[in-house]
Amino acid sequence: MLRRPSSPADGVPVALRNASVVIDGRPVVRGADLTVEAGEFVALMGANGSGKSTLVRAMTGLRPLAGGSATLFDTPLPRFHDWHRIGFVPQRAGASSGVPASVWEVVGSGRLSRRRLFRPLSAHDRRIIHDAMEVVGLEGMAQAGISTLSGGQQQRALIARALAGEPDLFLLDEPTAGVDLPNQEALARALATLSERGATIVLVAHELGPMAPLIDRAVVMRHGRVVYDGAPLADHEVHSSHLGEAHTHHHHGDPRIDHVPVVASPLDPPEEDAR
């Protein structure tokens, strides 16, 4: 059984203040404020190019901030070293990357942050790996080659890999992109299990689909700016041209805020910015 997730006493999982990211001289994230409390399931949404994937990478230090600040569990990002507490799930394109690995090996690589290098897997490690595969519905495919799985199954394997590290915070970058409906539903069931166990989840998504009932809060980005932070929205509302106007704009937390503008695995894909 996986261990207890973080509680409020462990600190605020994510806090960004006036965060900005510049890539090749171009502003991609502009003055973003975002707080994610322990146990929340937050959907970070917006059109392609809105900056949502860049923002979630900035939370992990994979993209440096050009301005503002970020803390993880109340620790300033530059001083944060407990990366085993963070589970980052990239888009599925890199689940195989030509590596001849089994599903068990890919999921098992998630335990590297929890044990010494070259140390054999313990019985406890194996139980954690099996539980992670069971949560995502892949327990019967442990010895299958990761490259033989469908795109949706590969994405579920990446979630299991993150889960095997027993993180306190899950960051998922568009896990349903290019995934068929049955696998979207399987992903939703896996994330529902994690949420029920008290996990803190930030989900980057263009559209929610089967994930919609799981969301506690929606944060919408447009042109690198946070334009909405509040109650969950239907997919069509996220892309409404009126979203972000004075009568719809709501900030979670401090009402005074005025928006003006993991260590990755070798199996992960090259990053694509400004999504």
Side-chain angles (χ1 to χ4, degrees):
M1 179 61 67
L2 299 172
R3 67 186 182 86
R4 176 193 65 83
S6 63
S7 69
D10 295 321
V12 176
V14 177
L16 301 176
R17 293 292 176 265
N18 199 31
S20 298
V21 178
V22 175
I23 298 176
D24 295 330
R26 180 171 61 92
V28 177
V29 174
R30 306 164 184 260
D33 293 284
L34 175 64
T35 299
V36 180
E37 303 288 349
E40 275 195 302
F41 195 137
V42 176
L44 183 57
M45 306 184 71
N48 291 336
S50 62
K52 57 189 185 297
S53 287
T54 299
L55 184 63
V56 83
R57 287 178 176 272
M59 293 177 193
T60 68
L62 291 173
R63 273 292 173 189
L65 293 181
S69 64
T71 62
L72 295 174
F73 300 100
D74 294 344
T75 301
L77 187 58
R79 299 206 305 266
F80 186 81
H81 301 293
D82 296 331
W83 293 109
H84 60 274
R85 302 188 68 182
I86 312 298
F88 176 65
V89 182
Q91 287 201 36
R92 68 178 176 84
S96 58
S97 299
V99 178
S102 68
V103 174
W104 174 272
E105 290 168 331
V106 169
V107 177
S109 70
R111 291 300 295 167
L112 291 174
S113 64
R114 289 283 178 181
R115 60 191 180 89
R116 293 179 182 175
L117 193 62
F118 303 123
R119 180 180 176 182
L121 290 171
S122 66
H124 175 70
D125 290 326
R126 293 180 181 276
R127 283 195 299 271
I128 294 297
I129 294 168
H130 181 270
D131 184 66
M133 294 181 65
E134 189 173 49
V135 167
V136 303
L138 293 179
E139 67 273 21
M141 306 184 71
Q143 300 310 314
I146 191 72
S147 62
T148 68
L149 270 58
S150 70
Q153 290 170 328
Q154 288 185 12
Q155 187 67 352
R156 284 151 62 191
L158 291 178
I159 292 174
R161 184 185 73 187
L163 183 57
E166 300 179 280
D168 295 312
L169 169 65
F170 289 86
L171 305 172
L172 301 103
D173 190 1
E174 302 211 41
T176 59
V179 173
D180 61 19
L181 183 59
N183 272 295
Q184 288 184 35
E185 292 170 342
L187 284 165
R189 288 192 295 272
L191 294 181
T193 298
L194 298 184
S195 186
E196 288 165 3
R197 292 181 178 186
T200 303
I201 302 172
V202 177
L203 170 72
V204 176
H206 180 68
E207 295 182 340
L208 293 174
M211 307 286 185
L214 308 178
I215 304 304
D216 296 319
R217 179 174 142 226
V219 175
V220 181
M221 296 190 69
R222 187 168 291 165
H223 306 302
R225 309 170 190 266
V226 173
V227 299
Y228 176 89
D229 184 346
L233 299 172
D235 287 337
H236 73 276
E237 293 177 301
V238 171
H239 304 290
S240 166
S241 60
H242 300 293
L243 189 68
E245 294 180 358
H247 64 282
T248 62
H249 197 170
H250 169 71
H251 291 295
H252 181 87
D254 189 344
R256 297 170 298 172
I257 293 171
D258 180 20
H259 291 290
V260 288
V262 146
V263 181
S265 162
L267 297 174
D268 290 343
E271 89 176 78
E272 296 178 18
D273 290 303
R275 289 195 304 272

